[in-house]
């Protein structure tokens, strides 16, 4: 038997399991939206000899309130990336989720992103206006923009529990001000 988990449209596969074991498993750590999802149990194409099969299905659905979103959600993919200004931001990554942020950075600006040391396992990656990966680091990225445009930052973690992290952003405003005298 094979197993596939589909989104609410009934066509988009969220996870599938096609193996030679006696047990198949699919997981959706964080549903993109509340609603109906579809689970398909089927015979593999090479098993046309077996017209039917008996199986046991175990389904576990956890409470959606186990992880409270931060104020920038929904920003779980590139297309939903949230604008994030300069400053220090306290954020939350839920299991199976990513945080995406976008920044309109002028050419020549030096930007930096740093994850606070208390956020074990959080990794950040910076992508250029063309979508190509510029840098990926566990804690800190500094980059001088070579092109005008929207840059994307992805924060991700491999954890089964929610992770609270702090992200410091500098240089995305396009203006660096310094107080010299008061």
């Amino acid at each position: 038997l094979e197993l596939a988990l589909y989104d609410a449209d009934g066509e988009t596969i969220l996870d599938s399991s096609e193996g030679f074991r006696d047990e198949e498993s699919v997981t959706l750590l964080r549903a993109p939206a509340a609603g109906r999802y579809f689970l398909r149990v089927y015979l593999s194409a090479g098993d046309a000899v077996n017209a039917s099969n008996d199986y046991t299905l175990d389904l576990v659905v956890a409470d959606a309130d186990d992880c409270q979103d931060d104020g920038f959600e929904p920003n779980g993919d590139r297309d939903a990336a949230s604008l994030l200004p300069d400053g220090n931001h306290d954020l939350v990554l839920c299991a199976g989720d990513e945080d995406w942020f976008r920044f309109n950075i002028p050419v020549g600006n030096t930007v930096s992103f740093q994850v606070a040391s208390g956020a074990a396992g959080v990794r950040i990656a910076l992508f250029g206006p063309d979508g190509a990966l510029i840098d990926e680091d566990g804690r800190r990225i500094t980059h001088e923009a070579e092109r005008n445009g929207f840059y994307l930052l992805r924060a991700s973690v491999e954890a089964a529990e929610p992770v609270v992290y702090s992200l410091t952003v500098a240089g995305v405003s396009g203006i660096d001000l310094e107080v010299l005298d008061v």
Side-chain angles (χ1 to χ4, degrees), residues 16-119:
S16 65
S17 180
E18 298 175 347
F20 297 107
R21 302 174 292 148
D22 289 338
E23 183 176 309
E24 302 296 334
S25 175
V26 292
T27 303
L28 179 62
L29 291 175
R30 186 160 171 89
R36 183 177 298 192
Y37 292 81
F38 297 93
L39 187 63
R40 178 180 175 219
V41 180
Y42 59 98
L43 293 170
S44 64
D47 269 349
V49 176
N50 297 329
S52 66
N53 199 331
D54 292 328
Y55 63 90
T56 301
L57 177 65
D58 294 319
L59 179 65
V60 177
V61 179
D63 187 2
D65 293 331
D66 286 349
C67 184
Q68 297 297 315
D69 290 329
D70 56 48
F72 293 97
E73 292 291 341
N75 65 338
D77 60 41
R78 283 178 187 258
D79 296 333
S82 297
L83 282 170
L84 193 66
D86 284 343
N88 189 28
H89 306 278
D90 294 324
L91 304 164
V92 177
L93 271 170
C94 297
D97 194 17
E98 294 180 333
D99 281 347
W100 285 83
F101 302 100
R102 62 187 166 104
F103 312 92
N104 191 8
I105 303 173
V107 68
N109 244 41
T110 299
V111 294
S112 68
F113 308 95
Q114 182 171 345
V115 175
S117 60

